[in-house]
Amino acid sequence: MISITGLRKSFGAATVLNGIDLEIRQGEVVSVLGSSGSGKSTLIRCINGLEKIDAGKITVDGFDVSKPRELSEARKRSGTVFQLFNLYPHMTAVQNVALAPIEVLKVPRKQAEAEARELLHSVGLTERADAYPSQLSGGQRQRVGICRALAMKPSYLLLDEVTSALDPEMTSEVLSILAALAKTGTTMVFVTHEIEFARSISSRIAFLDKGQLIADLPTEEFFSATGMALPRVAQFLSKMRKD
Amino acid sequence: MRYGDFTPFDIVLLLQGLGVSLALFVSTTLIGLVIGTAWAVIRFYRVPVLMQAVTFVAELLKNSPVLVQLFLVFFGLPAFLKINVTPTEAALITLSGNSAAFIYVIAVSAIESVGRDQIEAARVFGLTRWQILRRVIAPQATAFAIGPLTGLLVNQLQVTSLISVIGVMDLTKVGNILNLRTLKPFLVWTAVGLLYYLTAKLVTYAGARFEKRLRAHTAWKGL
Ligand SMILES: Nc1ncnc2c1ncn2[C@@H]1O[C@H](COP(=O)(O)OP(=O)(O)OP(=O)(O)O)[C@@H](O)[C@H]1O
Ligand SMILES: [Mg+2]
């Protein structure tokens, strides 16, 4: 379980997350929605320990991310997929995927690379396994990014707008992989602007507004009268649907 | 000995001088690489106190003439610390320190050239700072640094000629001796200059070869 209580985060004078409480249990797919600047990326970066939190507590399977000794355990349990892929440009797809298993989990290189190839095969990249990121399309890069996270066999996947740098065709190719993952019971925290897709795969929707979690509802409730009763949610959904 | 013509032995003398210059160049480059890189790693880890000390020393070395540094080591160390240094030792110490300072600068900017986003990815997957340095930063930083490093080394090769003033028998010193004996400066300095030129070209060539191999090995064309 990922457990967030009383989370606060500011950058200088600007408070970006202002008292967040959120729990994500094994097997859930929680989509995080909210307008630009509401703090979604910051929330993900607090969970994976890239940002120091100012107050509150985040634990991943009981490991406190603000304690250096526990952070590495917490990180072993969650895998992040980045908006801009963040691949290592000097390594092939296979090497990108196998690096962390080799270095962190001490898996023998041969085995790690064989597993990486299998993962790449499962997302349709069998032929491109030995290509460098610069030789791949955006959609292919993001599929490598997803494999890289899966290679650590994480309990939780953290995804921050993983399709927003992709064109519609590539977006659907990545989303179908995520849908398949959701079906197999992979736990996900999914930050997105793809409202309809979020609706189709999530068990819950968390809605952030100016650093506060103003809704945390089962998916269908969020999109029904209960969600619409919240002015900010109604406003957001009508605006997103118009776009 | 009367002023006289060149003898076949002068070729040997020139080659010996070249050998001394080359030996000093190669050894001070290697020492400089080790020290300069170590300083850059200290900075990467933000080791308190040591990091400030490194910056301070590197600044001193970069911003004062090598000749002054050489005199300080050769005349200063015996006078103040009662340590006797031979001309070769003084040359070795000074040139190594000087190379280290400039290699440090190149190494720091090479490390910083590697994108933050990749480093964040590596951190999130639990790699330690050392693993990130070795697996993610070093390969890319090396490819980035080869160009500036080659330029620096060509320059450092010329700088070795300064050590002739404290009596090290390097190529320039041999040139000086031949010149005084034959009184044919044009011929002597042309020969000496040509030898430096060829060596510098060799360094450039080796650098380009190495860079090409690194890039071919990674097939990395940048982003
Ligand atoms: N490193 C930083 N330094 C200062 N301010 C920051 C930093 N990172 C984020 N912010 C600010 O925090 C706020 C929330 O940013 P965040 O990236 O979390 O929003 P977001 O919900 O992910 O937005 P988007 O949908 O546009 O990605 C923004 O106002 C942003 O300017
Ligand atoms: Mg964001």
Side-chain angles (χ1 to χ4, degrees), chain A residues 129-176:
Chain A
D130 295 304
Y132 288 89
S134 58
Q135 302 164 328
L136 297 174
S137 75
Q140 292 173 332
R141 285 183 209 181
Q142 193 55 293
R143 284 186 271 165
V144 175
I146 292 170
C147 291
R148 182 175 62 172
L150 292 176
M152 294 297 281
K153 304 190 175 71
S155 306
Y156 311 96
L157 265 190
L158 311 176
L159 305 109
D160 186 5
E161 299 199 35
V162 296
T163 58
S164 62
L166 304 177
D167 66 29
E169 193 188 337
M170 294 176 179
T171 296
S172 67
E173 117 199 348
V174 168
L175 290 185
S176 68

Side-chain angles (χ1 to χ4, degrees), chain A residues 11 16 35-42 51 161 193:
Chain A
F11 292 107
V16 173
S35 50
S36 185
S38 55
K40 305 180 296 293
S41 298
T42 309
E51 302 286 355
E161 299 199 35
H193 285 141

Side-chain angles (χ1 to χ4, degrees), chain B residues 150-194:
Chain B
T150 308
L152 171 71
L153 293 189
V154 166
N155 189 55
Q156 292 300 86
L157 173 70
Q158 325 296 349
V159 168
T160 59
S161 64
L162 290 177
I163 61 177
S164 60
V165 297
I166 56 168
V168 178
M169 273 294 188
D170 75 329
L171 184 54
T172 302
K173 182 78 182 172
V174 169
N176 231 328
I177 291 169
L178 289 182
N179 182 38
L180 286 178
R181 205 190 71 217
T182 61
L183 287 180
K184 291 200 175 77
F186 190 73
L187 250 165
V188 169
W189 293 120
T190 302
V192 168
L194 205 65

Side-chain angles (χ1 to χ4, degrees), chain A residues 6 12 16 29 37 55 57 63 68 93 111 135 139 141 144-145 152 169 174 177 196 207 223-224 229 231:
Chain A
V16 173
V29 176
K57 190 168 172 173
F63 293 101
Q111 186 189 336
Q135 302 164 328
R141 285 183 209 181
V144 175
M152 294 297 281
E169 193 188 337
V174 168
I177 288 164
E196 287 313 315
F207 187 83
F223 287 101
S224 71

Side-chain angles (χ1 to χ4, degrees), chain A residues 45 48 50 75 80 82 86-91 100 103-104 106 132 134-135 148-149 152, chain B residues 117-118 120-127 131 135-136 139-140 217-223:
Chain A
R45 293 171 59 83
N48 62 25
L50 285 176
R75 278 179 169 165
T80 305
F82 296 85
N86 299 19
L87 298 178
Y88 317 118
H90 61 299
M91 293 184 186
E103 297 291 326
V104 180
K106 310 296 176 199
Y132 288 89
S134 58
Q135 302 164 328
R148 182 175 62 172
M152 294 297 281
Chain B
D117 57 341
Q118 304 167 40
E120 286 194 339
R123 277 172 58 198
V124 156
F125 290 113
L127 273 77
Q131 288 170 331
R135 299 285 171 221
V136 179
Q140 300 180 66
H217 172 64
T218 62
W220 173 51
K221 299 176 206 83
L223 282 178

